[in-house]
Amino acid sequence: MLQTIAEVDMPPNHPTVLINGINANFSQPIRFSPGRRYRLRVISMSFTYWFKVRLPGHTMQVIEADGISSRPSAVDGLDLCPGQRYSVIITAKESLEFNYALNVTFYNDFIVDIPGLTTLYHHVPIVYHDNAPVKTYPVIEDHKVKWADELAMEPRDELMLLEPVDHHIVRSVKALPKDLGVPIYAFGNYSYAPVPVLPLFTALTTGDLALLPSTYAPQLNAIILQHNHIVELELRNPDSVIVHTFHSHGHAFQVVESGPVHKNSSIPIKRFKGRQPMRRDTITLALGQYVKVRIKADNPGVWFQHCHQEQHNLSGLGFTLIEAPDVMQRTLRVPSEMIEFCRMLGHSTQGNSAGRAGSDMTGIEKPIAISGSANSISDTV
């Protein structure tokens, strides 16, 4: 497992899979001793493709998702979107009779499949004995596999469901097609784009105006949250072709529900099954589905929320949480080195998004507006 890249001959190919830093075509064996328990940490460092991970003949006990410890949950495999992480416990067989293979499938449902290129299958040897044969198993259809599911998991710290909800916020994926390449995306009414003044500086230097959406440029899709309010985000993907992922900075959110975006859909509504909803920071937004997640605005700061598929992120699929700017102004201090660095780059560190007063956005590039499904912010009584 510690073999260096220089020790193996790896022909260039793209896309490719690395397992422990090694081209997956040259996966190094993992050695098991009978009866011992092993923790396997699986991290998807992809920004476009998904991974399915299974070890036929063994049960995985999921004990962590995205850094949040969970009560053990028995599954057959993991299906990871870009950015997700899991830890599982695997108990080794008592016998040395067979070796096994950890199966890793590298796939993407919305890219045309090119055999041997866009869907790749890799096998990591699980070695009990050097001279033992590898045990084979029949292929099982995906829908018959029990995959890890955050709605069926519970956090070990037993944090109860956040309620009552103060704000219900809907954000829908929108796209403006282009003739070639990735569309322009939005997680709101505007495609996300950087602005001259970082929103953190705006929140810290504009006093009471930091509480007003008009202080922030439209392309930030800024949502201002009051301190300690409970917020439910309903994240919708009405698309019938492109699957997206959602990643939150600043929070591990409670996953409380998923269901269909469109009426008359056969997609079922699913709610969390345990006593407390599982938390994580990255989740798949499946075709034609929504996911409801909850956070408590107890982490004052400016937090970017975005699609974890990098080309979608760069194409504007993001929004900003401006969390408790009044508390930020009392408690946060930006290091002088950061302020000086911004000045060296010619960036202002004061004022609204344009470096001006109030809602005057003179000098900022016109935001790209994208029509489509409604987005809303509502107060829940």
Side-chain angles (χ1 to χ4, degrees):
M1 297 302 291
L2 298 179
Q3 188 175 16
T4 64
I5 292 177
E7 293 175 348
V8 294
D9 179 23
M10 295 186 295
N13 62 344
H14 178 78
T16 189
V17 177
L18 298 179
I19 298 178
N20 281 3
I22 302 295
N23 187 308
N25 294 318
F26 303 90
S27 298
Q28 303 301 293
I30 299 174
R31 294 190 174 273
F32 274 17
S33 296
R36 297 200 66 176
R37 299 170 72 240
Y38 294 87
R39 178 173 180 168
L40 183 67
R41 174 79 163 145
V42 183
I43 303 170
S44 172
M45 297 178 67
S46 166
F47 64 80
T48 302
Y49 286 79
W50 272 245
F51 287 93
K52 290 178 181 175
V53 180
R54 294 190 60 221
L55 180 53
H58 299 71
T59 298
M60 294 178 171
Q61 294 281 346
V62 182
I63 60 167
E64 171 260 331
D66 297 351
I68 303 298
S69 296
S70 65
R71 293 183 178 277
S73 174
V75 300
D76 299 323
L78 309 173
D79 191 357
L80 296 92
C81 73
Q84 285 188 325
R85 295 88 70 202
Y86 281 104
S87 288
V88 298
I89 298 294
I90 298 174
T91 301
K93 301 285 188 181
E94 294 291 346
S95 170
L96 295 173
E97 184 180 3
F98 293 105
N99 294 326
Y100 299 83
L102 180 73
N103 298 332
V104 179
T105 303
F106 175 71
Y107 76 101
N108 187 316
D109 286 339
F110 57 83
I111 292 180
V112 176
D113 189 39
I114 302 173
L117 181 62
T118 53
T119 300
L120 302 177
Y121 303 91
H122 298 285
H123 308 283
V124 180
I126 303 297
V127 177
Y128 282 78
H129 191 280
D130 288 334
N131 297 322
V134 176
K135 185 162 186 175
T136 59
Y137 291 86
V139 175
I140 300 176
E141 297 177 13
D142 274 4
H143 71 274
K144 296 181 180 179
V145 175
K146 183 180 180 182
W147 300 103
D149 179 3
E150 50 275 317
L151 286 169
M153 296 171 61
E154 292 183 283
R156 183 172 287 277
D157 62 12
E158 299 185 348
L159 179 66
M160 300 300 292
L161 175 67
L162 294 170
E163 55 185 354
V165 172
D166 296 298
H167 308 284
H168 180 78
I169 299 171
V170 176
R171 282 292 176 265
S172 291
V173 174
K174 300 180 183 181
L176 184 64
K178 295 193 297 185
D179 292 337
L180 294 172
V182 178
I184 297 172
Y185 281 109
F187 239 145
N189 296 321
Y190 298 94
S191 183
Y192 182 91
V195 294
V197 180
L198 294 174
L200 176 62
F201 290 131
T202 295
L204 289 174
T205 63
T206 54
D208 291 343
L209 295 179
L211 296 165
L212 301 178
S214 59
T215 306
Y216 306 89
Q219 52 265 58
L220 293 177
N221 293 312
I223 299 171
I224 300 169
L225 303 179
Q226 296 183 54
H227 194 220
N228 286 328
H229 275 202
I230 293 173
V231 178
E232 182 172 84
L233 294 170
E234 182 177 332
L235 306 162
R236 296 177 177 175
N237 180 17
D239 205 318
S240 61
V241 179
I242 306 295
V243 180
H244 294 282
T245 64
F246 175 77
H247 176 66
S248 174
H249 291 266
H251 289 278
F253 46 74
Q254 293 185 332
V255 185
V256 298
E257 185 179 298
S258 68
V261 170
H262 307 290
K263 295 181 179 179
N264 303 319
S265 171
S266 61
I267 298 171
I269 294 175
K270 296 166 55 180
R271 286 187 58 82
F272 71 95
K273 299 177 181 178
R275 295 169 295 175
Q276 302 91 18
M278 186 58 190
R279 303 194 308 282
R280 66 183 320 158
D281 59 32
T282 308
I283 198 166
T284 294
L285 301 183
L287 299 178
Q289 296 188 43
Y290 69 81
V291 176
K292 291 182 180 179
V293 302
R294 292 186 185 182
I295 62 171
K296 184 176 182 179
D298 57 2
N299 191 14
V302 175
W303 304 114
F304 189 37
Q305 317 290 301
H306 62 94
C307 182
H308 215 288
Q309 291 155 265
E310 192 64 18
Q311 67 272 47
H312 298 172
N313 179 16
L314 295 174
S315 295
L317 193 47
F319 62 94
T320 312
L321 297 181
I322 313 293
E323 191 166 330
D326 50 341
V327 178
M328 274 194 272
Q329 292 171 12
R330 297 196 304 267
T331 61
L332 298 185
R333 294 293 178 270
V334 177
S336 58
E337 294 85 355
M338 181 178 177
I339 295 175
E340 182 59 28
F341 183 69
C342 289
R343 288 174 177 166
M344 288 172 59
L345 295 175
H347 296 307
S348 175
T349 57
Q350 295 186 44
N352 66 17
S353 296
R356 298 177 180 275
S359 58
D360 180 5
M361 295 296 167
T362 303
I364 279 191
E365 291 187 17
K366 183 179 179 180
I368 299 175
I370 301 181
S371 61
S373 302
N375 294 280
S376 65
I377 301 177
S378 61
D379 296 337
T380 304
V381 179

